[in-house]
């Protein structure tokens, strides 16, 4: 059986300036953020079997728009959806890149459909374009889907750990509505321009303090974790529902978080781009039923 696997990193958007033009291909965001691994992995096979993975509405919308007819698709994510690490965008892009690979549909069409699905379902603005066009530390310089010019610039990052705690799930539509009672459009543009002028972990750390954590204030548990467990961090941010602490060596941070009752998921910064590859499952065909491969 022929299958295509796609791997897509997670994305931590630290600065975002929503750009709403009234058409989902052209809507998006300017902004900046970091790519994280392990990646989301999607496997699409030319056999019936349906979708197995987190039930993310934009992923199913995107697959249908590419003509998906219930073929086998399995998606695995290292981080839960709904906590601000663009799991919805990464799952949607991975599933659609894998399916597009299987059906000889261009990857840019898959990325455009993934972007449109994210915008229409209210789960993201700039994540798909950042993930598809950049890597490492990304700066989104043109909003919109990749096929209509949406683009992010990539800057390499060092090998560092990202200790991430999913603290509480927050709906992206709620985030985008409520942030304007805490920050202004000028605050967002100011933070964005500063990172664009000097794209570095230091400028992102400043943006995290001056913009992100004002737009999405950390709850008490995260404030305590920041005070007690982040003294050696390169960057600390609370975004939407997750606390992320970027460090050289993660074990002390994880232990410290455990002591105050918070369970971390260990991620790394990554310079790897999304990719797809063919897999021939002939050898393993017995292990590959419609529900498990
Ligand atoms: N257990 C779950 N908790 C939260 N959302 C879930 C869950 N399972 C599926 N979903 C779906 O996943 C999507 C989460 O999208 P959302 O944009 O909130 O989060 P995200 O992509 O992880 O983070 P962000 O886009 O803010 O970076 C929603 O469409 C939601 O319906
Ligand atoms: C809106 C958003 C902050 C949700 O995580 C993200 O999609 C972005 O940066 O455009």
């Amino acid at each position: 059986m022929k299958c295509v696997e796609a791997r897509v990193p997670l994305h931590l958007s630290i600065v975002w300036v929503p750009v709403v033009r009234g058409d989902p291909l052209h809507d998006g965001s300017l902004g900046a953020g970091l790519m994280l691994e392990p990646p989301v992995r999607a496997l699409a096979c030319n056999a019936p079997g349906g979708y197995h993975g987190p039930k993310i509405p934009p992923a199913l919308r995107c697959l249908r728009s590419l003509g998906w007819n219930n073929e086998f698709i399995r998606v695995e994510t290292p981080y839960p959806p709904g906590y601000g690490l663009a799991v919805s965008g990464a799952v949607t892009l991975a599933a659609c890149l894998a399916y597009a690979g299987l059906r000889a549909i261009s990857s840019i069409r898959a990325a455009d459909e993934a972007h449109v699905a994210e915008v229409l379902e209210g789960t993201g603005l700039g994540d798909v374009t950042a993930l598809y066009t950049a890597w490492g530390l990304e700066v989104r310089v043109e909003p919109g889907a990749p096929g209509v010019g949406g683009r992010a610039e990539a800057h390499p990052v060092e090998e560092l750990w990202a200790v991430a705690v999913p603290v509480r799930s927050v709906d992206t539509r709620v985030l985008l509505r409520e942030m304007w009672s805490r920050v202004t459009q000028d605050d967002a543009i100011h933070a964005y321009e500063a990172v664009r002028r000097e794209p570095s972990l230091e400028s992102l750390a400043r943006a995290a303090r001056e913009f992100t954590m004002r737009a999405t204030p950390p709850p008490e548990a995260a404030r305590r974790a920041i005070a007690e467990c982040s003294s050696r961090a390169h960057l600390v941010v609370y975004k939407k529902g997750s606390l992320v602490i970027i460090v050289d060596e993660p074990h002390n941070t994880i232990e410290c978080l455990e002591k105050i009752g918070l369970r971390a998921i260990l991620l790394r910064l990554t310079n790897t781009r999304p990719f797809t590859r063919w897999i021939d499952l002939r050898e393993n065909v017995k292990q590959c039923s419609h529900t498990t491969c």
Side-chain angles (χ1 to χ4, degrees), residues 217-252:
E220 173 53 30
R223 283 207 301 275
R224 181 168 173 211
I226 293 170
E228 294 183 21
C229 305
S230 73
S231 57
R232 294 187 174 186
H234 291 270
L235 185 157
V236 185
V237 64
Y238 183 84
K239 187 239 160 175
K240 201 175 120 165
S242 282
L243 172 65
V244 183
I245 304 177
I246 296 188
V247 284
D248 293 310
E249 197 284 316
H251 299 295
N252 294 340

Side-chain angles (χ1 to χ4, degrees), residues 11-18 28-32 84-86 118 123-128 138 140 172 175-176 179 239-240:
H11 176 234
L12 168 62
S13 182
I14 292 181
V15 184
W16 59 92
V17 185
S29 64
L30 298 170
L85 294 198
E118 276 267 281
T123 47
L125 289 172
D127 298 314
V128 168
E138 63 79 23
R140 271 159 281 147
T172 296
L175 160 88
L176 289 173
M179 63 182 271
K239 187 239 160 175
K240 201 175 120 165

Side-chain angles (χ1 to χ4, degrees), residues 94-260:
C96 284
L97 282 176
Y99 184 72
L102 196 67
R103 292 285 165 256
I105 297 167
S106 71
S107 65
I108 194 142
R109 167 140 184 248
D112 283 357
E113 296 292 359
H115 171 87
V116 165
E118 276 267 281
V119 172
L120 290 176
E121 296 291 346
T123 47
L125 289 172
D127 298 314
V128 168
T129 296
L131 287 164
Y132 186 74
T133 64
W135 43 270
L137 188 164
E138 63 79 23
V139 179
R140 271 159 281 147
V141 293
E142 293 292 340
V148 297
R151 189 171 64 84
E153 289 173 355
H155 303 271
V157 285
E158 289 171 60
E159 283 182 20
L160 293 171
W161 297 97
V163 178
V165 184
V167 179
R168 70 170 175 216
S169 172
V170 176
D171 191 279
T172 296
R173 287 186 208 267
V174 173
L175 160 88
L176 289 173
R177 200 172 50 236
E178 293 188 348
M179 63 182 271
W180 299 122
S181 62
R182 307 184 186 112
V183 290
T184 63
Q185 176 92 357
D186 280 353
D187 295 330
I189 292 170
H190 180 79
Y192 169 65
E193 292 296 348
V195 180
R196 189 170 175 178
R197 265 195 312 275
E198 184 216 318
S200 66
L201 273 192
E202 291 72 28
S203 69
L204 274 180
R206 262 194 312 277
R209 286 192 299 274
E210 291 168 11
F211 171 74
T212 329
M213 291 200 274
R214 285 178 53 214
T216 67
E220 173 53 30
R223 283 207 301 275
R224 181 168 173 211
I226 293 170
E228 294 183 21
C229 305
S230 73
S231 57
R232 294 187 174 186
H234 291 270
L235 185 157
V236 185
V237 64
Y238 183 84
K239 187 239 160 175
K240 201 175 120 165
S242 282
L243 172 65
V244 183
I245 304 177
I246 296 188
V247 284
D248 293 310
E249 197 284 316
H251 299 295
N252 294 340
T253 310
I254 293 172
E255 237 175 66
C256 177
L257 291 168
E258 261 168 19
K259 277 193 195 134
I260 59 174

